Amino acid sequence: METVGAIETGSYGTAKLNYLNNGSTLKSWLLTKDHKRIAIMYLISVSVFFLMGGLYAATIRLELLTPASDLLETGTYNKVFTQHGILMVFFFLIPSIPAVLGNFLIPIMIGAKDLALPRINLLSLYIYWLGGAITLWALMQGGVDTGWTFYTPYSTTFSNTYVLAVGVGIFINGFSSILTGVNFLVTIHTMRAPGMTWFRLPLFVWAHYAVSLIFVLGTPVVAITLLLVAIERVAHVGIFDPALGGDPILFQHMFWFYSHPAVYIMVLPGMGIVSELIANFARKRIFGYEFVAFSSIGLAVFGFLVWGHHMFVSGQSMYASLVFSFLTMVVAIPSAIKMFNWTATLYQGSISFDTPMLYGLAFMGLFLIGGFTGLYLGALGLNVHLTDTYFVIGHFHYVMVGGQVIAYLGGLHYWWPKMTGKMYSEFWGRVAAMLIFVGFNLTFFPQLILGYLGMPRRYAAYPPEMQVLNIFSSAGASVLGVGLTMPVFYFIHSLIKGKPAPDNPWLLPGLEWRTSSPPPTENFDKPPVVTWEVYDFSDESGLDIEAAKREAAAVNA
Amino acid sequence: MSAHSHSDKFVYHEPGLQHQFDDMGQQEESVSLGMWLFLAQEIMFFGGLFTAYLVMRSKYPLAFASGSNHLDAFLGGANTLVLIVSSLTMALTVYYAQKGNRNMQVGLIVLTMLFGLTFLGIKAYEYTDKYNHGLVPMAGLNRRVKADAPVAEHVGLVLPGETAVSASEAKPGAEPYVNPHGEFQWREYELVQHMMDKQRAEPNGHYLTLNEQLTYSTSPGSLILDKDKFRDKVRIFFYIYFVMTGLHALHMIIGLGIMTWLLWMAYKSTFNAEYFSPVEMSGLYWHFVDIVWIFLFPLLYLLGRHYEHLGL
Amino acid sequence: MAEQTTEHHNPHVEVPNEHIGIPGYLGVFTVLVVGTILTYYVALMDLDWIFPGANTLVALGIAFTKMTVVGLFFMHVRWSPRLVWMSAVGAFFWLSIMFAYTMQDYLTRGTGFFGH
């Protein structure tokens, strides 16, 4: 650190000072205020939770190979699917893209040195760890069996598992999301580089703006709801327990007020990434930029108006169901705007099928199915038939895994060279992407059919007639598992033996490609001034493509 | 330029400017926006509780009114005034911080903290009162009084609905105050009984909501008061009262922590016309906590006062 | 919106340091004290003859006034950038969404206000 002046810059193969080698002690990581280092620590943390959630998923699919509940007894099965849901939703899906890729990229994309509130950013990581630690402790003590939705009065009165500890863990973890949201909103408002106007922001940033709104306005409500559940469990008062005069539907209102918008937390950032991938790998300005940008905000706002569609059969008034059903149909509009505009962007683009783009295209197909099945579920009459069946499971896995996880992987591959300064194996990347796509569909499409045939969710046993489709699903899950494991190996391999990445491996005009790979601690060697439009692939972007090509060739040589 | 991050430390433009900002204006704008978004978050956080309050009160308005009449409206009102004064001293602290007047800042921060402590003191007194009278909605958290306890233990325990100093002599024929397990206690049913009678006499009247007619009755529609069922609803009121005021008090305690830090900073003459945003941000938080109380006071303390003319 | 990015490069000179001065603060304080006393005495009157729950509506009206005064003057929203207005008003708007959409269920149930 003291020999800074001696380090050469600009030539590859020498130790240029960047955020990764700027300090190597444990303290320099744990007390860092650098958004990029915090993002890397988030990356490692969410990967651990994803792995654990994945192991639970594998257990579920193993159990469902046979119609009887022979691998797990039913009580254990309840715990396994609950913990799969809790770890995946609260500790992987929600922080995945915002806290890892958003954290890393938003300041770079808008040309800032860091997030506006770096200490708050570090605090949010520690809160995430604290919440995660408490939850993991509770799982080790014996776990929880309420389902990730914590429906009352089962969670407040009857379940004798570790509801309280898990509730506290999620309550604490919520503040990590809130602080991240506050930080992003402030940063996007006040830290943009000169010339970086609102309509020059990459769509990834717009999507995170929308997500941050949900973080700030939604998360506190679920926090207070879980607090009320925890107190009710301890004090045995009946605000949610009907036996004591309470109202279980009140819990559902308060829970879904956050948790439905949270569904958009689990897909909006993915849409942001896909907008980047589609435009950049078709090398074409995205069709209807403003519409795509505002549809993100529209999804965030409308997402708050439709929570009642989770409660069609739970005793809410028919009038309310009618209103919520109608508004649910309205949400399809901003989603459709995005789909149509991505498709129009691809039209006559010069598309290259690099690994990230494979994920981008996979997202479009899978989200299409996820979105349409959502309309089935939002329709009042059909919903009565499909509520709490595997159709619901299939639907939201198409949105969350087919949407968020696929986009997260796409984003990770897309920005991996920037984050680590290393190239991964393109061949294995494509193989993994194909395996994941095939495995995913094989896993979840049969579940849509099973649900339509009437297989209920959350049961360890099912009628023997349904075994064939369940075997398909479990077989698909193993393919999916192999596909998801492969990136771990080739990413780690790339860190050790990968080729060094050029600054701009995909020859793109975005601001993040105009700094070195990996970026210096303050992101840019000199503060950028933006003079070009976003997704401008013409010469006016000021990007010297020939120079970038030469550089890439020099690195490859 | 590779040494950017390090050399930058030595080219501060202004003291107190963090490295990620270009100038103080940008820093102030960011910090202020961050604080306001945090307050927006707080509004939704308390908002969840207010939703629970809204739903529960709309279901059981009379139980809420009965319960509310046993909070001390005078103390609640006094606490409102205490918080308003503390808001004034806080606003003046910001005013003098901008002027860089150290002595006024220190004095006003001390005053603000004193008012904050007064608020918490009155709150603690109220909580103790509820503890003594068996109005804490959680079993075991109330004062335990055995049936065969010496009379001295009963003295001073004014029961809900009773006005005398001694439980056993509170009202002719009243049972002695007995609460061996510290359970929630409720004995005042005059108001609801009165409304129930009127409703029975006039089935089309609006003395009780339809939901209340069903849920306070021994069997749905009987319009005969089931005291246990009514007590459970009053208990819900006290539950919401304790959660709301408890969370508010927690915010006050956090606020006092912030003020202690602020006092130290002001004592060291940190703030002046160029740099006073910590005072301003702490002030925003303090005023927000005050605003929450402005709503809590009428919504918790004053629900059934207009029934007092019934003389029940 | 391009102006906004460049705006923060010059400090906030346009914001006056003294907002309303000490007499102003005392005036706001008086409004708050009067409002509190008024809240208490109105609560003692039986307004149920207007419609059931009128008392609460009056109390809330006073509380909103008090909050507005605190926000505008003590919290300096009156002199703050538009974004501060938006986050303050926006949060209340969101809260009202939560109230409205929750209550549309309860009020239209069989036992609700519009249910029978």
Side-chain angles (χ1 to χ4, degrees), chain B residues 187-203:
Chain B
R187 295 191 180 184
E188 196 209 0
Y189 299 99
E190 285 85 352
L191 181 60
V192 63
Q193 190 71 63
H194 172 79
M195 294 297 183
M196 207 64 131
D197 293 341
K198 292 201 116 181
Q199 189 71 46
R200 211 166 35 236
E202 282 178 64

mmCIF file of all heavy atoms in Angstrom, chain B residues 187-203:
data_model
loop_
_atom_site.group_PDB
_atom_site.id
_atom_site.type_symbol
_atom_site.label_atom_id
_atom_site.label_comp_id
_atom_site.label_asym_id
_atom_site.label_seq_id
_atom_site.Cartn_x
_atom_site.Cartn_y
_atom_site.Cartn_z
ATOM 1 N N ARG B 187 -62.731 -5.813 34.879
ATOM 2 C CA ARG B 187 -63.971 -6.001 35.617
ATOM 3 C C ARG B 187 -65.039 -4.982 35.262
ATOM 4 O O ARG B 187 -66.090 -4.955 35.889
ATOM 5 C CB ARG B 187 -63.698 -5.892 37.114
ATOM 6 C CG ARG B 187 -62.806 -7.022 37.560
ATOM 7 C CD ARG B 187 -62.749 -7.098 39.029
ATOM 8 N NE ARG B 187 -61.882 -8.185 39.423
ATOM 9 C CZ ARG B 187 -61.695 -8.543 40.673
ATOM 10 N NH1 ARG B 187 -62.314 -7.900 41.629
ATOM 11 N NH2 ARG B 187 -60.905 -9.529 40.957
ATOM 12 N N GLU B 188 -64.760 -4.125 34.310
ATOM 13 C CA GLU B 188 -65.757 -3.096 34.049
ATOM 14 C C GLU B 188 -66.583 -3.436 32.816
ATOM 15 O O GLU B 188 -66.079 -3.421 31.693
ATOM 16 C CB GLU B 188 -65.100 -1.740 33.841
ATOM 17 C CG GLU B 188 -66.125 -0.651 33.975
ATOM 18 C CD GLU B 188 -65.777 0.545 33.148
ATOM 19 O OE1 GLU B 188 -64.742 0.529 32.466
ATOM 20 O OE2 GLU B 188 -66.561 1.496 33.168
ATOM 21 N N TYR B 189 -67.818 -3.755 33.038
ATOM 22 C CA TYR B 189 -68.676 -4.140 31.922
ATOM 23 C C TYR B 189 -69.906 -3.243 31.830
ATOM 24 O O TYR B 189 -70.822 -3.534 31.070
ATOM 25 C CB TYR B 189 -69.098 -5.606 32.064
ATOM 26 C CG TYR B 189 -67.922 -6.553 32.054
ATOM 27 C CD1 TYR B 189 -67.409 -7.061 33.235
ATOM 28 C CD2 TYR B 189 -67.315 -6.897 30.857
ATOM 29 C CE1 TYR B 189 -66.318 -7.904 33.235
ATOM 30 C CE2 TYR B 189 -66.221 -7.742 30.846
ATOM 31 C CZ TYR B 189 -65.719 -8.245 32.034
ATOM 32 O OH TYR B 189 -64.646 -9.066 32.007
ATOM 33 N N GLU B 190 -69.947 -2.150 32.627
ATOM 34 C CA GLU B 190 -71.145 -1.320 32.661
ATOM 35 C C GLU B 190 -71.439 -0.718 31.290
ATOM 36 O O GLU B 190 -72.571 -0.736 30.813
ATOM 37 C CB GLU B 190 -71.002 -0.190 33.694
ATOM 38 C CG GLU B 190 -71.128 -0.627 35.128
ATOM 39 C CD GLU B 190 -69.798 -1.123 35.683
ATOM 40 O OE1 GLU B 190 -68.827 -1.251 34.889
ATOM 41 O OE2 GLU B 190 -69.717 -1.402 36.887
ATOM 42 N N LEU B 191 -70.376 -0.191 30.647
ATOM 43 C CA LEU B 191 -70.592 0.497 29.372
ATOM 44 C C LEU B 191 -71.126 -0.472 28.319
ATOM 45 O O LEU B 191 -72.131 -0.209 27.660
ATOM 46 C CB LEU B 191 -69.276 1.129 28.904
ATOM 47 C CG LEU B 191 -69.343 1.902 27.591
ATOM 48 C CD1 LEU B 191 -70.328 3.045 27.684
ATOM 49 C CD2 LEU B 191 -67.961 2.416 27.215
ATOM 50 N N VAL B 192 -70.455 -1.607 28.193
ATOM 51 C CA VAL B 192 -70.880 -2.548 27.155
ATOM 52 C C VAL B 192 -72.252 -3.138 27.502
ATOM 53 O O VAL B 192 -73.098 -3.362 26.621
ATOM 54 C CB VAL B 192 -69.813 -3.647 26.932
ATOM 55 C CG1 VAL B 192 -69.619 -4.489 28.166
ATOM 56 C CG2 VAL B 192 -70.182 -4.506 25.747
ATOM 57 N N GLN B 193 -72.488 -3.335 28.808
ATOM 58 C CA GLN B 193 -73.801 -3.853 29.214
ATOM 59 C C GLN B 193 -74.899 -2.858 28.830
ATOM 60 O O GLN B 193 -75.943 -3.242 28.286
ATOM 61 C CB GLN B 193 -73.801 -4.067 30.739
ATOM 62 C CG GLN B 193 -75.006 -4.831 31.250
ATOM 63 C CD GLN B 193 -74.953 -6.293 30.842
ATOM 64 O OE1 GLN B 193 -74.042 -7.020 31.243
ATOM 65 N NE2 GLN B 193 -75.913 -6.727 30.035
ATOM 66 N N HIS B 194 -74.604 -1.572 29.080
ATOM 67 C CA HIS B 194 -75.550 -0.506 28.744
ATOM 68 C C HIS B 194 -75.880 -0.527 27.243
ATOM 69 O O HIS B 194 -77.037 -0.508 26.826
ATOM 70 C CB HIS B 194 -74.918 0.833 29.145
ATOM 71 C CG HIS B 194 -75.678 2.031 28.688
ATOM 72 N ND1 HIS B 194 -76.802 2.503 29.330
ATOM 73 C CD2 HIS B 194 -75.471 2.877 27.641
ATOM 74 C CE1 HIS B 194 -77.251 3.565 28.716
ATOM 75 N NE2 HIS B 194 -76.471 3.816 27.685
ATOM 76 N N MET B 195 -74.841 -0.605 26.426
ATOM 77 C CA MET B 195 -75.036 -0.611 24.972
ATOM 78 C C MET B 195 -75.763 -1.881 24.534
ATOM 79 O O MET B 195 -76.618 -1.851 23.650
ATOM 80 C CB MET B 195 -73.691 -0.517 24.258
ATOM 81 C CG MET B 195 -72.975 0.789 24.477
ATOM 82 S SD MET B 195 -73.925 2.172 23.799
ATOM 83 C CE MET B 195 -72.844 3.543 24.110
ATOM 84 N N MET B 196 -75.419 -2.984 25.151
ATOM 85 C CA MET B 196 -76.055 -4.256 24.812
ATOM 86 C C MET B 196 -77.558 -4.185 25.105
ATOM 87 O O MET B 196 -78.377 -4.619 24.285
ATOM 88 C CB MET B 196 -75.398 -5.362 25.665
ATOM 89 C CG MET B 196 -75.428 -6.739 25.078
ATOM 90 S SD MET B 196 -74.485 -6.880 23.564
ATOM 91 C CE MET B 196 -73.500 -8.294 23.835
ATOM 92 N N ASP B 197 -77.902 -3.608 26.287
ATOM 93 C CA ASP B 197 -79.318 -3.485 26.643
ATOM 94 C C ASP B 197 -80.062 -2.616 25.634
ATOM 95 O O ASP B 197 -81.159 -2.948 25.180
ATOM 96 C CB ASP B 197 -79.452 -2.878 28.056
ATOM 97 C CG ASP B 197 -78.911 -3.834 29.108
ATOM 98 O OD1 ASP B 197 -78.799 -5.038 28.787
ATOM 99 O OD2 ASP B 197 -78.587 -3.376 30.223
ATOM 100 N N LYS B 198 -79.433 -1.470 25.276
ATOM 101 C CA LYS B 198 -80.096 -0.573 24.336
ATOM 102 C C LYS B 198 -80.280 -1.250 22.983
ATOM 103 O O LYS B 198 -81.303 -1.122 22.323
ATOM 104 C CB LYS B 198 -79.279 0.709 24.160
ATOM 105 C CG LYS B 198 -79.251 1.580 25.402
ATOM 106 C CD LYS B 198 -78.897 2.995 25.058
ATOM 107 C CE LYS B 198 -80.051 3.902 25.382
ATOM 108 N NZ LYS B 198 -79.843 5.294 25.072
ATOM 109 N N GLN B 199 -79.221 -2.005 22.577
ATOM 110 C CA GLN B 199 -79.301 -2.699 21.290
ATOM 111 C C GLN B 199 -80.433 -3.734 21.304
ATOM 112 O O GLN B 199 -81.152 -3.901 20.321
ATOM 113 C CB GLN B 199 -77.963 -3.377 20.990
ATOM 114 C CG GLN B 199 -77.837 -3.938 19.590
ATOM 115 C CD GLN B 199 -77.730 -2.850 18.546
ATOM 116 O OE1 GLN B 199 -76.974 -1.899 18.707
ATOM 117 N NE2 GLN B 199 -78.484 -2.951 17.473
ATOM 118 N N ARG B 200 -80.585 -4.388 22.445
ATOM 119 C CA ARG B 200 -81.628 -5.401 22.539
ATOM 120 C C ARG B 200 -83.008 -4.746 22.471
ATOM 121 O O ARG B 200 -83.931 -5.261 21.849
ATOM 122 C CB ARG B 200 -81.477 -6.189 23.847
ATOM 123 C CG ARG B 200 -81.956 -7.616 23.722
ATOM 124 C CD ARG B 200 -81.511 -8.505 24.862
ATOM 125 N NE ARG B 200 -81.455 -7.863 26.150
ATOM 126 C CZ ARG B 200 -80.370 -7.817 26.921
ATOM 127 N NH1 ARG B 200 -79.244 -8.350 26.479
ATOM 128 N NH2 ARG B 200 -80.397 -7.236 28.087
ATOM 129 N N ALA B 201 -83.099 -3.556 23.117
ATOM 130 C CA ALA B 201 -84.379 -2.848 23.092
ATOM 131 C C ALA B 201 -84.691 -2.318 21.698
ATOM 132 O O ALA B 201 -85.853 -2.300 21.269
ATOM 133 C CB ALA B 201 -84.348 -1.702 24.102
ATOM 134 N N GLU B 202 -83.661 -1.873 21.010
ATOM 135 C CA GLU B 202 -83.846 -1.297 19.669
ATOM 136 C C GLU B 202 -82.998 -2.080 18.677
ATOM 137 O O GLU B 202 -81.866 -1.682 18.365
ATOM 138 C CB GLU B 202 -83.337 0.152 19.643
ATOM 139 C CG GLU B 202 -84.235 1.189 20.241
ATOM 140 C CD GLU B 202 -83.544 2.535 20.167
ATOM 141 O OE1 GLU B 202 -83.291 3.024 19.049
ATOM 142 O OE2 GLU B 202 -83.202 3.074 21.227
ATOM 143 N N PRO B 203 -83.480 -3.175 18.155
ATOM 144 C CA PRO B 203 -82.634 -4.022 17.289
ATOM 145 C C PRO B 203 -82.074 -3.282 16.078
ATOM 146 O O PRO B 203 -81.042 -3.685 15.542
ATOM 147 C CB PRO B 203 -83.586 -5.139 16.868
ATOM 148 C CG PRO B 203 -84.640 -5.160 17.914
ATOM 149 C CD PRO B 203 -84.809 -3.747 18.376
#
